[in-house]
Amino acid sequence: MKNLFKITFFSLTLLLTVYSCDDSEGENEGKFNDDPTTGWVQFVTDGFSRNIAIDSYNTDNLFEVPVFVNVPISTDELRINYDLVSVSGPDPSTVFSNNGVLVNPAGSSTHFFFSDLESGNLDVANGGAKDPLTIEAFPKIQFDIAQAVNITEAMIFDIVLTSTSNGKVAAGVDGSSRPIAYRIQICPSLNASSGNFVGDYNLTVTSGDSLFGGPVFADQTVTISEGANGALSRQFQVAYLPGGPTNLMTVTFSFTNGQVIIDDGLSTNIGCASLLLLGGDSSNIIAQPCDDSEALTLNMLDFQGGSGGCGVGDIPLVVVLTKV
């Protein structure tokens, strides 16, 4: 009987020790050790996208933001309250139908899925694992991105965890780096009707002068219009100066799968032994800008593929376009 009592006492002590490992820190170290039904909620910020482009997002899928529930014993349903706080652009509260409450079912906790959680990052090195089965155990705040398809400017907002339905479960830990805010940016569709990247833009070449001497394109204002390949294509005319100020060429590009793709084989109308062409630099493709608040960079190649018969090929040409 005495040995049974010792085993039972040891097992109970071990159980409470496991439950009481709470990862709090600094002035809060050990704050939740005494009661395994206490704890906190926070965001997991590592490995999850924060930027959404309407043009490339499959709106049949909800956008989900996981929340870490660090409560060893969770016997009751936990309601996690959050606010949507506008930073710039449309107010998310008028765009999305979220009610500001995330429900974590009774008996469910993500406390056991990762051995350590540092500054909102999953600490794989210390035993955490990004196993899809464990990620699925996180409760998630969901957004129906289809509700945002008609925004015409970038929408930036924070999700802020404010409280829970259990007074013993805090939103974050005061004085520690347990993130309770998660910033999201949603980029509007870049079609002609929205006016994004259509109109007058200041053009600057940042890659230096032409191999012929002097600028490739002069600093100037150009007019971008919708291209011949639909709502996500663009074009503008500019003088290729090695051929003189009246030697106009057309630069065409498109927004494809969230990237800026410059068309190849763009005629400059001049050359040495053959026609000199410009095109896109496939080794340096940039992401689609969110809207006109960002400069648009075209990473191009002069003498593309050795064209022109001038003895050179694929010279980087970087063009920056900024809304007037």
Side-chain angles (χ1 to χ4, degrees):
M1 179 65 73
K2 189 176 295 185
N3 288 337
L4 178 60
F5 176 78
K6 287 181 180 179
I7 292 172
T8 302
F9 179 77
F10 175 77
S11 300
L12 179 60
T13 301
L14 179 62
L15 181 64
L16 290 175
T17 300
V18 172
Y19 281 160
S20 66
C21 182
D22 67 12
D23 293 333
S24 54
E25 59 187 17
E27 64 186 73
N28 296 288
E29 188 171 356
K31 178 175 180 179
F32 300 108
N33 280 350
D34 293 337
D35 185 350
T37 65
T38 62
W40 72 86
V41 296
Q42 69 171 86
F43 285 114
V44 176
T45 57
D46 182 43
F48 295 94
S49 173
R50 296 167 179 242
N51 298 324
I52 302 166
I54 293 294
D55 288 332
S56 57
Y57 193 87
N58 182 354
T59 56
D60 290 335
N61 299 326
L62 297 174
F63 181 74
E64 298 181 322
V65 179
V67 175
F68 184 86
V69 180
N70 193 62
V71 185
I73 299 177
S74 182
T75 58
D76 300 316
E77 176 184 275
L78 182 68
R79 295 168 65 84
I80 303 167
N81 303 308
Y82 63 90
D83 289 336
L84 303 182
V85 180
S86 180
V87 176
S88 64
D91 186 340
S93 297
T94 65
V95 174
F96 296 112
S97 56
N98 294 52
N99 63 3
V101 178
L102 174 66
V103 176
N104 187 58
S108 176
S109 170
T110 48
H111 172 84
F112 300 106
F113 290 109
F114 298 94
S115 66
D116 196 20
L117 197 67
E118 289 299 333
S119 301
N121 297 317
L122 304 180
D123 189 359
V124 178
N126 289 329
K130 295 181 182 179
D131 184 336
L133 294 176
T134 60
I135 288 292
E136 285 305 310
F138 283 72
K140 302 174 184 69
I141 299 173
Q142 297 179 323
F143 294 91
D144 182 359
I145 300 302
Q147 296 175 339
V149 294
N150 293 321
I151 62 173
T152 57
E153 60 179 314
M155 177 168 64
I156 303 175
F157 64 96
D158 290 334
I159 315 170
V160 181
L161 303 178
T162 58
S163 62
T164 76
S165 58
N166 184 341
K168 297 191 295 183
V169 179
V173 180
D174 289 341
S176 72
S177 56
R178 304 303 183 198
I180 60 170
Y182 190 97
R183 180 157 295 182
I184 293 175
Q185 175 178 271
I186 301 180
C187 300
S189 178
L190 300 185
N191 55 45
S193 63
S194 70
N196 285 306
F197 297 105
V198 172
D200 292 339
Y201 287 77
N202 290 326
L203 179 151
T204 304
V205 174
T206 61
S207 51
D209 284 345
S210 167
L211 294 185
F212 291 117
V216 179
F217 304 127
D219 290 353
Q220 61 191 286
T221 299
V222 297
T223 300
I224 301 178
S225 61
E226 184 176 301
N229 295 320
L232 296 181
S233 65
R234 297 289 186 269
Q235 64 182 21
F236 63 90
Q237 283 195 317
V238 63
Y240 185 74
L241 284 184
T246 61
N247 181 40
L248 293 179
M249 66 171 294
T250 301
V251 176
T252 58
F253 61 97
S254 62
F255 302 109
T256 305
N257 295 325
Q259 297 178 317
V260 180
I261 305 297
I262 297 101
D263 291 341
D264 292 327
L266 302 175
S267 174
T268 64
N269 303 309
I270 67 165
C272 298
S274 57
L275 185 62
L276 194 164
L277 306 173
L278 305 186
D281 185 351
S282 60
S283 67
N284 195 14
I285 297 175
I286 67 168
Q288 172 179 307
C290 197
D291 64 5
D292 285 324
S293 65
E294 301 179 48
L296 173 62
T297 299
L298 303 181
N299 289 324
M300 305 180 69
L301 294 174
D302 203 353
F303 305 93
Q304 187 182 35
S307 62
C310 303
V312 294
D314 292 337
I315 305 301
L317 170 62
V318 181
V319 176
V320 178
L321 298 161
T322 308
K323 184 77 170 180
V324 175

